[in-house]
Amino acid sequence: MFRGKNHKESSKLVDKQNLYEPLEAFGLVIKAAKAKFDETVELHVKLGVDSRHADQQVRGAIVLPHGTGKSRKVLVFCKEDRVKEALDSGADFAGGQDMIDKIQAENWFDYDVVIATPDMMGVVGRLGKVLGPKGLMPSPKAGTVTPNIAQAVTDVKAGKIEYRLDKTNIIHCPIGKVSFGPEKLLDNYTALISAVIKAKPAAAKGQYIKSCVTASTMGPGIKINALKAT
């Protein structure tokens, strides 16, 4: 895999074998970020569970204390009499069958989060094959199927993120931008890792957090000592 000059320079700052304390790790992430844009800082947490089993799923949502640093477009599926409420709450798009038709006819995905009222899930469910693979399908666990449109939209705009296991039992989440500084990144990290620990399935055996790595968009991975969190 080709690595650019900046990545190679950044990699020299990091001891690949070392487990860094969280605050030190985020200081290094910032130091190693060489791109000319404000890089996103991500957290990758490998868990000692098996995502193939329903009783070992780890999924949820949390509002990060300092948000993600990224503005997110929100689509709300609701009945016609609640469209104005959704838009007034800050949603970028809102509607019912008209929005479903637009997605089906135009392959339209100009939004980051989809929220739906429970009474719309009967029709929204038909979009499962197109929204599901993109991680956009509303779900009660993520708080995106709810009668409380205003609160759901406000939470997303404030920096609510969803965390869920992928097929390799890893959770990938943005926790802010390089410009946040180490303290704010630490606050967001603490909130996320605490939520993941709280969501530990009863069926999970042995070591729950196997590894925890942070990295900026273009930077090297930095291992975090997450054992203290557990």
Side-chain angles (χ1 to χ4, degrees):
M1 184 176 179
F2 175 75
R3 297 290 191 189
K5 183 183 167 188
N6 282 346
H7 191 284
K8 285 174 184 171
E9 288 297 315
S10 298
S11 295
K12 290 177 186 173
L13 299 169
V14 180
D15 180 349
K16 288 251 175 20
Q17 306 308 315
N18 194 33
L19 279 179
Y20 291 92
E21 294 306 309
L23 190 60
E24 187 185 0
F26 296 123
L28 269 176
V29 161
I30 293 164
K31 206 172 175 184
K34 307 284 189 186
K36 289 177 181 170
F37 59 92
D38 192 7
E39 296 181 49
T40 295
V41 178
E42 294 185 345
L43 197 68
H44 307 277
V45 187
K46 186 169 181 63
L47 299 181
V49 295
D50 189 341
S51 61
R52 291 173 299 179
H53 299 292
D55 62 353
Q56 292 188 46
Q57 288 296 324
V58 179
R59 183 179 183 180
I62 181 176
V63 178
L64 295 174
H66 304 289
T68 62
K70 183 188 173 195
S71 57
R72 302 168 90 200
K73 289 185 182 178
V74 178
L75 164 63
V76 175
F77 285 113
C78 58
K79 294 284 173 71
E80 198 176 327
D81 60 347
R82 298 196 70 185
V83 167
K84 185 178 183 302
E85 177 193 346
L87 295 173
D88 288 348
S89 300
D92 299 273
F93 313 100
Q97 191 60 49
D98 55 332
M99 292 290 144
I100 291 168
D101 292 344
K102 185 175 171 69
I103 290 168
Q104 290 177 325
E106 301 173 25
N107 212 22
W108 174 62
F109 298 108
D110 187 26
Y111 40 87
D112 306 295
V113 178
V114 179
I115 293 166
T117 52
D119 56 4
M120 287 298 294
M121 284 309 290
V123 283
V124 174
R126 296 176 206 154
L127 294 173
K129 283 184 180 175
V130 289
L131 294 181
K134 293 182 179 291
L136 290 168
M137 193 65 187
S139 82
K141 265 195 171 179
T144 45
V145 175
T146 174
N148 193 342
I149 294 171
Q151 187 63 54
V153 173
T154 301
D155 284 349
V156 169
K157 294 288 185 177
K160 184 177 187 177
I161 58 165
E162 184 181 355
Y163 58 88
R164 60 192 297 181
L165 282 178
D166 68 7
K167 286 176 182 173
T168 60
N169 306 314
I170 299 175
I171 288 171
H172 308 272
C173 278
I175 56 167
K177 297 280 188 179
V178 163
S179 61
F180 279 24
E183 285 81 12
K184 285 185 178 179
L185 290 172
L186 177 65
D187 288 346
N188 281 356
Y189 157 81
T190 303
L192 176 59
I193 208 81
S194 298
V196 171
I197 290 165
K198 202 173 175 185
K200 181 180 180 179
K205 304 295 180 211
Q207 188 179 343
Y208 181 50
I209 294 183
K210 293 278 192 183
S211 68
C212 186
V213 175
T214 186
S216 63
T217 310
M218 309 289 285
I222 298 166
K223 294 177 183 174
I224 292 178
N225 179 8
L227 291 177
K228 286 184 181 176
T230 57

